[in-house]
DNA sequence: GAGAACAGGTTGACAGTGTCAAGATGTGTC
DNA sequence: GACACATCTTGACACTGTCAACCTGTTCTC
């Protein structure tokens, strides 16, 4: 009555399972994921998840999709009110890394093609949507700064840069400790990063 | 007599196990790794690996270490005969991505902190060595182009950029297909990438 | 050279895992 | 009230990592 879903025995088991999965992966990484442990944390039997997601790949795919949906929301919020494409690119770069850091469990499976069904329609829609958002910004940058810009190459490089940063971010402090060096704040790195990318895209 | 190792029952089981592990991870990703499957491929019983590596983390750590050793070799070969630090950075960027693409099994565990013992001395030596190599090039770039360059931030960004590219490289074609776009050759992307980074590092 | 010490590898057991089939229980419909 | 169905449980199976015990060949010592 109150919600959209009929609220059967559990209430909203799919959501609870996704949350437990993200929590578990955030703790132990994708290899530490266990379907039975997730079921345990959600308070149901070990075979319950299968009725909603088929197998473990289905559940992980659902979590990855949720992550991309969240990324799209973060992108939309980040560019709100910004008209300058350069500012929008910078804002999206920060939104990407922020999402990765704030949702480590989701981020851990979003680009893990070996363990998810990356041809599932909902996943394709969400992930392609995020890429197209970036591509759109690149097109605006091309129109504003450099008509000869290869926007697809530029988008790939930008995605790689922020993705690499988001991936290595958790281990940066550890490296700094071992090499007796220091790490710049993540926020500053992204500013420098996007600044350099923009200069590179503009000057051609 | 002939080799360094005495060549017991198997010959050189540790090497065979590392090779089988890299092969398996290249096929199925880190989550598809199985100690028993590795033992099977090496033609030994399921408990044999434990005598050389303790547990599965030990074996994976050994593979990751081997990957960083290989990366250091690739770095050394890449910069051979090059005096210009800018050329050396470009060469190392290509060497990094080439190593990742040519040794996907190793690359899959090199930065997977959750499944390896990243404080094991041999691993630390090999991984820190690679980072210090990059840091050394950055110091040369600073001396040659821009005395105010923050070489640690620059090294972190460069590593992130090529790491992101290496990570996403296998999936780029898939994305291009879904979005009906095209992908530039990996080699060209690295050239553009390092070119932009250098411009950014120099102009400040 | 005989026997001890030991590295290298096997076998068997245990708890934990993913998945499947079957059954139980609640929910809605006619 | 009876049927259909979605939701979840129970039990089973083969597989996994790890541990202890055992076997076998090599090397060292006296």
């Amino acid at each position: 009555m109150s919600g959209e879903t009929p609220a059967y025995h559990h209430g909203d088991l799919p959501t609870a399972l996704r949350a437990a999965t993200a929590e578990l992966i955030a703790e132990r990484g994708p290899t530490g994921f266990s379907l039975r442990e997730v079921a345990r944390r959600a308070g149901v039997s070990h075979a319950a998840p299968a009725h909603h997601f088929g197998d473990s790949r289905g559940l992980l795919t659902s979590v990855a999709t949720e992550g991309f949906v969240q990324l799209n929301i973060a992108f939309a919020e980040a560019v709100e009110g910004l008209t300058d494409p350069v500012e929008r690119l910078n804002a999206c770069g920060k939104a990407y890394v922020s999402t990765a850091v704030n949702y480590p469990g989701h981020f851990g499976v979003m680009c893990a093609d070996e363990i998810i069904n990356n041809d599932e329609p909902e996943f394709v829609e969400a992930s392609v949507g995020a890429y197209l958002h970036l591509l759109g910004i690149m097109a605006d940058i091309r129109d504003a700064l450099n008509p000869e810009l290869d926007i697809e190459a530029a988008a790939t490089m930008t995605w790689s840069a922020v993705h690499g940063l988001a991936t290595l971010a958790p281990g940066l402090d550890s490296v700094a400790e071992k090499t007796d060096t220091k790490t710049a704040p993540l926020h500053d790195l992204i500013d420098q990063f996007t600044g350099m990318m923009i200069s590179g895209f503009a000057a051609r």
Side-chain angles (χ1 to χ4, degrees), chain A residues 12-168:
Chain A
D12 189 0
L13 187 53
T15 301
L17 291 172
R18 273 189 294 266
T21 300
E23 185 188 272
L24 183 57
I25 295 178
E27 285 176 21
R28 309 184 190 170
T31 51
F33 166 79
S34 151
L35 197 58
R36 286 174 112 105
E37 174 65 20
V38 164
R40 227 171 278 136
R41 293 189 181 200
V44 293
S45 77
H46 65 267
H51 286 268
H52 296 277
F53 300 103
D55 54 7
S56 71
R57 288 180 77 94
L59 173 53
L60 292 173
T61 304
S62 184
V63 172
T65 304
E66 195 174 57
F68 271 108
V69 168
Q70 180 57 42
L71 182 62
N72 284 319
I73 293 173
F75 278 172
E77 287 178 358
V79 302
E80 205 173 50
L82 299 180
T83 52
D84 181 14
V86 172
E87 285 181 20
R88 272 156 56 205
L89 184 69
N90 182 287
C92 281
K94 286 176 183 170
Y96 189 96
V97 178
S98 292
T99 302
V101 172
N102 293 333
Y103 299 86
H106 293 78
F107 185 67
V109 294
M110 283 166 65
C111 295
D113 285 355
E114 291 105 352
I115 55 177
I116 65 172
N117 303 317
N118 61 355
D119 53 352
E120 193 170 293
E122 293 180 22
F123 175 81
V124 172
E125 183 188 347
S127 59
V128 166
Y131 179 71
L132 289 181
H133 190 120
L134 177 60
L135 209 58
I137 296 178
M138 282 303 164
D140 290 346
I141 289 177
R142 176 196 57 198
D143 297 343
L145 298 179
N146 177 8
E148 290 178 5
L149 178 67
D150 180 345
I151 62 171
E152 280 144 14
T156 299
M157 283 189 285
T158 305
W159 193 292
S160 293
V162 290
H163 183 82
L165 204 57
T167 305
L168 299 178

